[in-house]
Amino acid sequence: ATTVSTTTLVPPTITPTTPPTTTLAPTTTIGTTSPTSAPSPGVCPTLPANLSLVSNAKLPNPFVFAADGSAVTTKNQWTCRQAEISQLFQRYELGTLPGKPASVTGSYSGNTLTINVSDSGKSISFAVSVALPSTGTAPFPAIIAIGGMSIPTPAGVAVLTFNNDDMAAQTDTTSRGQGKFYTIYGSGHSASAMTAWAWGVSRIIDVLENTPTLKLDLTKLAVTGCSRNGKGALVVGAFEPRIALTIPQESGSGGAGCWRISDAMLAAGTSTQTASEIVGENVWFSTNFANYVHAVPTLPFDHHMLAALVAPRALLIIDNTGIDWLGPESVFGCMKTANKVWQALGIPDHMGVSQVGNHAHCAFPSSEQPDLDAFINKFLKGQNTNTSFVKTDGANQLGFVDANWIDWTVPTLT
Ligand code: MCU
């Protein structure tokens, strides 16, 4: 059925676009940490410090190394390619993700997990609230909620609420460099707010690994968040391999949407959020990204490849067909394309898309409950469920046609 929603996100005032002072700016220094994977040194092609960017109007091929143009044909090469993609996102869009700091300690008391971090003479402390389930048996699976839960809490699952705004503020563009992350690393650090959140979630898990009194199953951790915090949930899942299941909800442009498709939607007359708009709204992306928002086709990635950093771990995209600002066609097309990476790995059912309209932004519709349950039950509770779906209730797949966006084929990685 087609869906028409009367609910619309009000787009913020569109700031006039100013041409970038530097196009294809030289690269920033990239952290040596490759959190998604740790391939042996010398095995992977080396990404040049100054990559020459080539314009590509289609969604870039996840299965070719940017470093040397060679094809990804094996699962081991894919691990290398993920490390490369992680570096590319840090370099051009998200800023550098620091590795584990010198000291991370914590304690658990009265449903509060306290995390203390120090490095290079700077210290911070932050609190995570813990809600243990009233049913089920310890050790419990757990969901880390970025800014709070916006999906129904599954039975038998603990919820850890991460105050992401405290780690890196996201009020508007004046939030740049504000928050506890920047107390440690300095207000001029290149990490965007979302990268800082990913770093914060990693520190939570560092502490959980050393807090046996809090009986959680650390092999069954999920992350979720809605809207801007859904963008954050995707970035956390992309950068933190200890997360088993990633559930971004209505993350829109800059999350599950692809920059290229959102630009095409706007060009075709839909009032949707694009890269050039988003950098004038908030600090979710690095300052360097502003150099590319008027040259989106030159980016050596799009967000199908951000999602691909999650593979082979599980990813469920919960989305809304009815709000143009979120870019429903962009999200559906981008994530349908991302699923091809799980196809290449032989596990297409470890990544699903459920897009349903006729509800307010971040109001989880009951019709999506079976889709959510299928992923929770399989990946947090070890049950055998059917998670094979990449679906929208929008008519005609919202007009997304693979051939318009994809000029590569899906290998079977050996
Ligand atoms: C979908 O996430 C954002 C969107 O990117 C912004 O343009 C809008 O202002 O706010 C959305 C949001 O976070 O809503 C709660």
Side-chain angles (χ1 to χ4, degrees), residues 24 83 92 256 342 412 414:
L24 314 188
Y92 298 107
W342 280 262
T412 299
T414 55

Side-chain angles (χ1 to χ4, degrees), residues 37-40 43-45 65 72-83 345 413-414:
S37 49
S40 321
V43 172
C44 301
F65 284 100
V72 175
T73 60
T74 68
K75 289 177 183 170
N76 282 343
Q77 287 169 344
W78 171 247
T79 304
C80 286
R81 173 66 169 140
Q82 280 182 307
L345 292 165
L413 302 176
T414 55

Side-chain angles (χ1 to χ4, degrees), residues 33 98-104 119 185 199 203 206-207 209-210 242:
T33 320
K100 191 172 176 177
S103 166
V104 183
D119 207 347
Y185 292 106
W199 177 91
R203 304 297 70 87
D206 292 343
V207 167
E209 286 177 341
N210 291 299
R242 291 171 291 182

Side-chain angles (χ1 to χ4, degrees), residues 176-177 182 185-191 287:
R176 181 71 63 191
Y182 304 99
Y185 292 106
S187 59
H189 194 279
S190 70
T287 53

Side-chain angles (χ1 to χ4, degrees), residues 240-320:
E240 175 45 79
R242 291 171 291 182
I243 297 285
L245 171 61
T246 299
I247 312 175
Q249 179 185 13
E250 300 188 39
S251 59
S253 178
C258 275
W259 302 123
R260 285 167 176 80
I261 309 177
S262 295
D263 276 356
M265 288 179 72
L266 182 66
T270 301
S271 175
T272 201
Q273 187 164 37
T274 61
S276 67
E277 190 281 338
I278 210 166
V279 297
E281 182 182 338
N282 217 303
V283 295
W284 299 310
F285 301 95
S286 63
T287 53
N288 191 35
F289 185 53
N291 294 316
Y292 301 93
V293 296
H294 299 282
V296 161
T298 65
L299 289 169
F301 52 70
D302 214 317
H303 275 218
H304 61 306
M305 288 162 57
L306 182 63
L309 292 180
V310 178
R313 293 171 291 118
L315 175 63
L316 171 61
I317 303 298
I318 299 280
D319 201 60
N320 191 333

Side-chain angles (χ1 to χ4, degrees), residues 372-395:
L372 177 62
D373 289 348
F375 269 78
I376 296 282
N377 291 343
K378 181 179 280 182
F379 296 105
L380 293 191
K381 299 184 181 178
Q383 298 171 15
N384 190 7
T385 63
N386 178 6
T387 52
S388 296
F389 51 85
V390 173
K391 61 187 182 184
T392 177
D393 65 359

Side-chain angles (χ1 to χ4, degrees), residues 30-99:
I30 302 304
T32 48
T33 320
S34 173
T36 302
S37 49
S40 321
V43 172
C44 301
T46 305
L47 192 63
N50 285 297
L51 194 63
S52 50
L53 299 180
V54 179
S55 186
N56 178 0
K58 299 203 172 180
L59 299 177
N61 187 346
F63 305 109
V64 171
F65 284 100
D68 61 4
S70 65
V72 175
T73 60
T74 68
K75 289 177 183 170
N76 282 343
Q77 287 169 344
W78 171 247
T79 304
C80 286
R81 173 66 169 140
Q82 280 182 307
E84 178 182 82
I85 292 169
S86 173
Q87 287 190 43
L88 292 171
F89 271 99
Q90 290 180 63
R91 188 183 287 192
Y92 298 107
E93 186 182 301
L94 291 166
T96 302
L97 176 66

Side-chain angles (χ1 to χ4, degrees), residues 174-185:
T174 68
S175 302
R176 181 71 63 191
Q178 305 290 311
K180 286 175 179 171
F181 174 91
Y182 304 99
T183 302
I184 293 271
Y185 292 106

